[in-house]
Structure formats: structure tokens, C-alpha cells
Amino acid sequence: MSTQNQYLRTSTQIDWVTVLLFMFLVIWGWLNIFAAVYDPELQQNIFDFDLKSGKQLVWIVMAVILAAFILMIDFRFFESFSYFIYMVFLGLLLVVLVTGKVVAGSKSWLGIGTLGIQPSEFIKFATALALSNYLSAPNIKLENINTLIRASLLFILPATLILLQNDTGSTLVFSAFIIVLYREGLNPIPIVLGIICAFLFIITLLIDKYLLVSIFAVVAAGIILFYKPIRKKWANILLITFIAVFVSGFVFSVNFIVNNVLQPHQQNRIKALINPDADPLGFGWNVTQSKIAIGSGGFLGKGFLEGTQTKFDFVPEQHTDFIFCTIGEEWGWLGSTVLIGTFITLFLRLLYMAERQKSKFARVYGYCVLSIMFFHFLVNIGMTIGLFPVIGIPLPFFSYGGSSLWGFTILLFIFINLDAHRMHILGQ
């Protein structure tokens, strides 16, 4: 079969539903970036290259070209060169630590003339490729502790390098790979324990630690004294006692960590999550103004380019991390629901695509794509409505930024390429 005929055959197998969802989010995001920076007194044009909307348009065009190029690459390339790609971007993270420039407090950018790229946005797809390659190797089982450690190191290493850049938000994104490990056979107990610890961390900040420890002590004592299956065996009594002591130690360590380990701006993010009204003009400003902007839109919104909270710059970084505020204010509850529904549709489509793969490499990679995007979506929107701390991560395909847009485009379209060739893999 000729190369041209093979390309035409592959193009008919491309999941165009996912491509259309991608284009819808990118275009709608571009319109809202313009709304976030629009000044009605200047009668600005969305195509003005001096505005962020004009710059974003250039990045969108290049992203579309990049997506088309990825679809033309032989699907076997991504698996064959996955470790090489991973090492290249890991090397770029090391270069950033030495020669990178500081933007918004994070040393995470490499300057190229007047432009800059953020390698941490690209290492996500590179890590997804490397992890997929490793987990798809023969006889790989996550029940083996050495296998689990090696797999975990593939995303812990870039996460550590990004943390050294003082970019906590991008670092936390790599925790999404735990979902992939769970799908491939990881025991759910570590995940459950992690969720419990996160919940306990929040509770400790809300309730007096001495009262909380007293409650745990009373509960533990009650179980030991009145629950016969526990009381009959010393091993069970020791286990309950150990858990109570461990939880008490965890509770007392939370305040120490918050007050002595976290940096001042990280402490303020925690305080803003717990009680933004305690300092509405200080650390609570972002979340408070974000909620006001979203709530002021009502059911149908104020209309495109009519957002007053947006126009008077009440919400910082509204074209990037807080782009959802523009949706809430100008498009209202209805527009917000459509946006969330679009993302959920995309995630369900990715889940369906991942499960229909004939190759384990493609399936694992599909779950990597889904997990990374879902984490960004959940945390970005959650932090604008006060459910998560403000950690500064973009909304996929929607927020302003070339590195973010290109990184997500590469991540998604590699999977679309693999999915388009799933029947070829079956025939091998």
C-alpha cells in the first residue's frame, strides 16, 4: 500500500469527535482570552497581535499545524523513541534550573529571544510516553515492589526537578499518574490512605488539634473496650493503638509543616482555602473576587465583553489561571455548565478510546492523557470556586499560553494517532 493511500486510510479512522471537541475548546478559550483583556475604551480588535488574544491566535495556528504533523508520524515512532524523548525533556528541566528565567516567582522558563518556553508543560507527554513504554513491557506487574518503584520514579523524577523550580502547581500534576498505576493493577490501599491523609490535613486546619486528638483517643478506646472481635486479640488492640498514635502524630505535624516548612505564599494559599474571608483584601483576595465574578453572571451571564469584574481587573491572572471566571461572569451558569459538560464529554471519550485499544502501550498512554487533563480541569475550576488552593495551573486548551496549548495538543494528538492505528496493531 502506498504512503498516500495509507495516510488516507488512517485519516478515516481518526476520532473526529475528539478533534472537534479540541477545536471547540480552543476557539472558545481564545474568545474568552480576548474578553479577559478587552478594554472597551480602546475599541480593541481580537486579531491585534499586541494583545494576548492576537498572540494566542498565532499559537493556536501553530498548534493546529503541530497536530496535523503528529497525525502524519508513524505511530510506532512514539513507542520506539519514548525513552529518548523523556530524557531530552528531562535534560531541559535540568537546563532550566541552571539558566532559566524567573516568571511569577518560578524559575521554569527557557528564554529564546523575546519568547520563552516552559519545559514543564512538555515533560508531561514525555513522561506519559516513558511510563506507557515501561508498563507495557512483558511480565510487568505492579504487585512487584521493584516494578512499582521504577514506574513511580519515572514521574517522581521530573516532579522533583519542577519542584526545585518553585512551581508547586505543575509538580502536583504528576500525582495524576497514580490513577494510571491503579488502572494497571496497583493496590487501591495507598490511594485510599492518601485521600484519608488529605482529608485529615484539612480537618486538622479547621479543628483544634488537641480536641481532634482527644476525639480519636476516645474512638480508639471505645473500639477496644466495646467491640468484641477487636478486644479478643492483642494484635488487634495493638493495631488500633498504633493507628491512634500515628493519626495523633500526623495531626500535630500538620501545624509544624504549615508554619515552618511551607513558604509564606504557600501558607497564604492554605489560609485562603480554609477561610478567605479572614483577609479578603490580602491572601483571600483572589478567591473572593473569583467567586464574586462567577456569581455575578447569574443564569445567562452579562454578555460577551460585558463583564465588569473582568474589565476592572478585580481578578488577577484572569486570562490564564482564572479564565473560568470570565465564563461565569459573561456566559453565566448556562455557559459554565456547557463548558464543564464539554470537558466531561471529552474525558468520557478519552476513557472509551483508551479501553478500546489493542495495544497495552496505547491504552496506558490514553489513561495518562485522561488523568493529566482531568487533574488540570478539576483543580483549575476547583480553585476558582474555593474548593482547592490556588496553585496556578492552566485549564487545558482554554487558558492563555503557548507552552500550555502546545503541550496539551501534543499530549492529545499522540493518542489520537495511536487510536487511529489500533486496527493495524491488531493485525500484527
Side-chain angles (χ1 to χ4, degrees):
M1 181 182 295
S2 67
T3 303
Q4 182 179 5
N5 290 336
Q6 185 176 2
Y7 174 73
L8 291 174
R9 178 184 172 186
T10 301
S11 66
T12 62
Q13 297 171 344
I14 291 173
D15 195 275
W16 292 106
V17 173
T18 304
V19 174
L20 289 175
L21 289 170
F22 161 79
M23 290 304 303
F24 177 75
L25 288 170
V26 167
I27 293 172
W28 197 9
W30 175 54
L31 292 175
N32 282 276
I33 289 169
F34 177 60
V37 300
Y38 177 71
D39 187 341
E41 295 182 0
L42 300 178
Q43 295 295 310
Q44 295 163 319
N45 190 304
I46 193 172
F47 299 101
D48 186 349
F49 294 124
D50 290 329
L51 295 179
K52 286 180 168 52
S53 58
K55 296 175 183 176
Q56 185 75 2
L57 179 60
V58 174
W59 293 330
I60 289 173
V61 171
M62 295 182 68
V64 172
I65 296 172
L66 184 60
F69 175 73
I70 291 172
L71 293 178
M72 291 188 289
I73 296 176
D74 189 319
F75 71 98
R76 289 164 291 201
F77 168 85
F78 301 109
E79 184 172 3
S80 300
F81 289 90
S82 58
Y83 290 131
F84 174 76
I85 295 171
Y86 175 75
M87 294 303 297
V88 167
F89 283 99
L90 207 60
L92 287 178
L93 290 180
L94 290 171
V95 172
V96 168
L97 288 175
V98 179
T99 64
K101 60 180 181 179
V102 177
V103 177
S106 299
K107 190 179 183 181
S108 55
W109 293 81
L110 284 178
I112 303 178
T114 58
L115 300 176
I117 62 169
Q118 196 172 4
S120 59
E121 293 293 341
F122 298 96
I123 191 64
K124 297 169 189 175
F125 87 83
T127 302
L129 287 173
L131 184 63
S132 301
N133 196 340
Y134 180 73
L135 292 179
S136 62
N139 302 319
I140 286 294
K141 295 185 181 298
L142 289 174
E143 292 86 351
N144 186 310
I145 187 63
N146 290 329
T147 299
L148 178 59
I149 291 173
R150 293 190 188 101
S152 300
L153 283 175
L154 285 173
F155 57 85
I156 290 175
L157 185 55
T160 302
L161 293 176
I162 293 172
L163 183 62
L164 293 175
Q165 299 171 9
N166 199 30
D167 188 353
T168 308
S170 296
T171 300
L172 292 175
V173 172
F174 287 82
S175 63
F177 286 107
I178 296 175
I179 299 174
V180 181
L181 298 183
Y182 173 70
R183 170 59 181 84
E184 295 305 315
L186 176 67
N187 191 306
I189 291 179
I191 300 176
V192 173
L193 289 176
I195 295 173
I196 292 175
C197 287
F199 176 76
L200 188 59
F201 184 91
I202 299 298
I203 292 296
T204 302
L205 296 174
L206 294 173
I207 302 176
D208 180 79
K209 57 182 179 293
Y210 294 103
L211 174 61
L212 197 58
V213 168
S214 299
I215 293 173
F216 286 129
V218 170
V219 171
I223 293 174
I224 293 172
L225 292 174
F226 300 106
Y227 189 57
K228 290 183 179 180
I230 295 292
R231 191 175 58 192
K232 288 181 178 180
K233 293 185 179 181
W234 279 103
N236 292 334
I237 295 175
L238 291 175
L239 177 61
I240 294 296
T241 304
F242 173 78
I243 292 174
V245 172
F246 175 80
V247 169
S248 299
F250 181 87
V251 168
F252 280 103
S253 69
V254 168
N255 284 308
F256 176 81
I257 292 172
V258 170
N259 296 322
N260 298 281
V261 177
L262 297 183
Q263 298 180 21
H265 70 279
Q266 294 170 330
Q267 295 176 16
N268 288 337
R269 289 172 181 176
I270 297 295
K271 294 175 183 176
L273 174 66
I274 301 303
N275 185 14
D277 295 331
D279 187 10
L281 299 180
F283 60 74
W285 175 266
N286 288 9
V287 175
T288 301
Q289 296 304 318
S290 175
K291 290 179 180 179
I292 292 173
I294 294 171
S296 67
F299 183 74
L300 294 176
K302 299 175 182 176
F304 184 55
L305 302 181
E306 299 298 327
T308 54
Q309 295 293 117
T310 297
K311 299 301 169 290
F312 295 107
D313 296 326
F314 283 105
V315 182
E317 306 299 332
Q318 193 159 339
H319 57 290
T320 54
D321 302 337
F322 285 88
I323 190 71
F324 186 71
C325 297
T326 307
I327 292 290
E329 184 178 16
E330 299 195 350
W331 302 83
W333 179 89
L334 185 61
S336 300
T337 302
V338 170
L339 177 64
I340 293 173
T342 302
F343 270 108
I344 292 176
T345 302
L346 174 62
F347 298 145
L348 291 175
R349 190 67 186 177
L350 290 173
L351 179 63
Y352 167 73
M353 291 168 62
E355 286 296 334
R356 73 181 180 185
Q357 298 308 306
K358 312 302 179 182
S359 158
K360 187 175 181 181
F361 172 83
R363 186 188 71 218
V364 175
Y365 184 80
Y367 270 92
C368 289
V369 176
L370 173 61
S371 300
I372 293 170
M373 289 190 178
F374 180 74
F375 185 93
H376 272 266
F377 161 80
L378 183 68
V379 174
N380 179 276
I381 293 182
M383 71 185 189
T384 63
I385 58 178
L387 295 180
F388 291 101
V390 179
I391 60 175
I393 61 173
L395 188 61
F397 310 122
F398 222 82
S399 295
Y400 171 81
S403 293
S404 170
L405 176 60
W406 294 345
F408 282 120
T409 300
I410 296 172
L411 180 73
L412 177 63
F413 276 84
I414 288 176
F415 183 45
I416 293 175
N417 185 316
L418 294 172
D419 177 72
H421 290 90
R422 66 189 183 279
M423 301 311 295
H424 296 178
I425 297 172
L426 179 64
Q428 290 180 345

